[in-house]
Amino acid sequence: MDWWWRRRLADEGIDALIHDQNRIVSRVQLSAAGWSKARIRQPLRARRWQTVHPGVYATHTGPIGYDEQLLAALLYSGPEASWSHHTAAEQLGLITPDSNRPVHVTIPEHRRVRRQPNLVVHRDQHWAARLAAVVPPRRTPAHAVLDIVGITRSLDRAAAVIAEACQSGRVAPAEIMRALAVRPRLRHRRSLGPIIEDVATGSHSLLELRYLRDVERRHALPAGQRQRAVDREFTDVFYPGFELVVELDGRLHLVPRQRWRDLDRDNRATLRTESTLRYGWFDVTVRPCQAAVQVLQVLRRRAPALAAKRCGPSCPVR
C-alpha cells in the first residue's frame, strides 16, 4: 500500500501538503519532494522546526496542538497506518472528542513501530478490510466502535460507547452487528448482541439501557416505547395505553435553564393528561426495584390486575 498523501504532493507540491497537514511534515514526504538530507537538517538545526516523533516535524516553534498530534502519529506509524479506536471515532463524529486521550493508530500485524509518548499502536491482520474510503486513513465507523469495545474492561462502558455512536446518526446498529460477525475474538462479544438490539429499538444512552434491563425487563413490566416524538421533542420511554412517560437523565443539572426545561417538559406532559416519572443514574443503578414499584403503581391505575415479578427475595415489587 502506498502513502495516502502522494497524489496531493504530486498535484500541489510540498508547501500545499504541509499546509493541509497543519504544518506537520515527515522526512519521507520531504525526500519524496526532492529535499536532500542536508536541506531537511537545516531548519531543525536553526530551531525553526521541531521534532514531534522521529522523522516527523512541526514546521514552527509553537505548542503542538491535538490536530497536529493526530497527523504526526499517522505519518510516524508508516504508509499502512490508520487512525483507529477513540481517535477514528472522534474524527468520524461518533463520540465526543477528548484531547487528553492518546492517539490510537492500527498497523498490519506483520509490522512493528517503536513506542512513542501519547501514541498507542495496535496491530491487526485484517486492517485493510476495516478501512474507510477516506483520507487520511481511518477505520470504518462500525469497526472504530468495536475497536473501543475491545479495549474497554467494563461492559457498561462498552454499551455507552455503542449507544453514543449510534445516537450520532453516523453509524447504524445493523452496521455494528455486521462488523461484529467478522470479529469472533472481541472482548464482551457474547453480551454485545442484545445491547446492539436494544440500541436499535431506541435506547440512546447507558442510563436508558440500564433502565430497560434492570427496571423494565427484570420486573416483567410492559415494554415501553423508546424515543417517541411528541411536541417537537422526544420522550425517553412512553407506555402506550397507560399514559405514562419516564424521563431518564444521568446528568446533575446545576444550570437553571436545564432545570426549567425539564419542568416545562413535565408540564406539557401533564397538559396531555400524561403522568411523568423522572429518574437519574442513582435511581436506576442503585435502587431499580424501587423505581419499578413506582412505575408499576402508575401503570396499575389503568390496569389494576397488571402482573409483574420480583427480581429477588428482597425485591419490593408485588
Side-chain angles (χ1 to χ4, degrees):
M1 179 178 176
D2 200 2
W3 287 98
W4 46 271
W5 43 260
R6 283 199 183 275
R7 176 169 294 181
R8 176 65 168 162
L9 176 63
D11 292 344
E12 303 291 339
I14 190 64
D15 291 336
L17 185 63
I18 293 173
H19 179 270
D20 287 350
Q21 295 176 170
N22 297 310
R23 301 178 67 186
I24 297 295
V25 68
S26 72
R27 183 167 53 231
V28 174
Q29 291 176 322
L30 294 168
S31 297
W35 284 43
S36 65
K37 292 181 180 180
R39 188 179 177 185
I40 295 172
R41 285 195 298 266
Q42 185 177 0
L44 291 168
R45 287 178 173 175
R47 298 187 178 179
R48 297 194 305 271
W49 291 6
Q50 55 185 314
T51 300
V52 185
H53 295 304
V56 181
Y57 318 115
T59 60
H60 61 80
T61 57
I64 307 298
Y66 184 58
D67 289 342
E68 295 168 294
Q69 293 177 27
L70 296 180
L71 264 299
L74 205 57
L75 293 173
Y76 168 75
S77 300
E80 298 173 321
S82 65
W83 288 324
S84 62
H85 298 73
H86 297 85
T87 304
E90 290 175 2
Q91 296 305 301
L92 292 163
L94 303 175
I95 62 174
T96 303
D98 183 355
S99 59
N100 293 318
R101 293 190 185 110
V103 181
H104 291 263
V105 299
T106 292
I107 60 175
E109 192 168 25
H110 67 270
R111 292 193 54 227
R112 296 289 188 276
V113 173
R114 289 186 178 180
R115 293 182 179 180
Q116 296 297 324
N118 202 42
L119 173 60
V120 180
V121 179
H122 308 266
R123 294 161 55 237
D124 180 6
Q125 67 181 90
H126 304 292
W127 66 275
R130 297 169 183 174
L131 288 180
V134 293
V135 171
R138 66 205 70 179
R139 304 282 256 193
T140 65
H143 283 293
V145 172
L146 293 182
D147 284 342
I148 300 173
V149 169
I151 62 172
T152 301
R153 293 182 179 273
S154 163
L155 181 60
D156 271 356
R157 181 56 193 153
V161 169
I162 293 171
E164 181 182 359
C166 291
Q167 189 179 13
S168 74
R170 298 174 183 269
V171 65
E175 295 176 81
I176 299 177
M177 193 70 85
R178 287 194 295 270
L180 182 63
V182 298
R183 299 185 69 160
R185 297 183 179 180
L186 190 73
R187 176 180 283 179
H188 309 302
R189 191 182 190 283
R190 293 183 179 180
S191 303
L192 293 180
I195 291 172
I196 297 170
E197 290 175 1
D198 290 342
V199 171
T201 66
S203 295
H204 282 179
S205 69
L206 176 58
L207 184 59
E208 292 176 42
L209 290 169
R210 291 288 295 267
Y211 175 87
L212 175 62
R213 183 190 71 185
D214 297 341
V215 178
E216 191 174 283
R217 287 180 178 162
R218 188 165 291 174
H219 298 95
L221 301 181
Q225 176 186 345
R226 265 68 195 173
Q227 302 302 317
R228 176 193 59 153
V230 60
D231 288 346
R232 293 179 293 180
E233 62 186 13
F234 294 90
T235 56
D236 291 331
V237 187
F238 175 64
Y239 291 93
F242 300 94
E243 304 309 308
L244 171 63
V245 173
V246 172
E247 295 291 356
L248 302 165
D249 198 340
R251 297 168 296 178
L252 295 175
H253 292 322
L254 303 179
V255 181
R257 182 186 304 173
Q258 182 63 49
R259 177 176 177 272
W260 286 113
R261 188 180 303 159
D262 291 344
L263 291 174
D264 185 55
R265 178 187 297 177
D266 294 347
N267 291 342
R268 287 198 299 274
T270 300
L271 292 173
R272 296 192 300 266
T273 68
E274 297 171 357
S275 301
T276 299
L277 294 174
R278 184 175 295 277
Y279 298 113
W281 181 257
F282 178 82
D283 303 304
V284 172
T285 60
V286 177
R287 50 185 188 189
C289 297
Q290 286 76 6
V293 167
Q294 293 180 350
V295 172
L296 188 59
Q297 286 176 345
V298 178
L299 297 178
R300 281 177 173 166
R301 292 175 184 173
R302 292 180 178 258
L306 182 67
K309 75 174 185 180
R310 302 170 71 191
C311 66
S314 62
C315 180
V317 169
R318 298 288 185 271

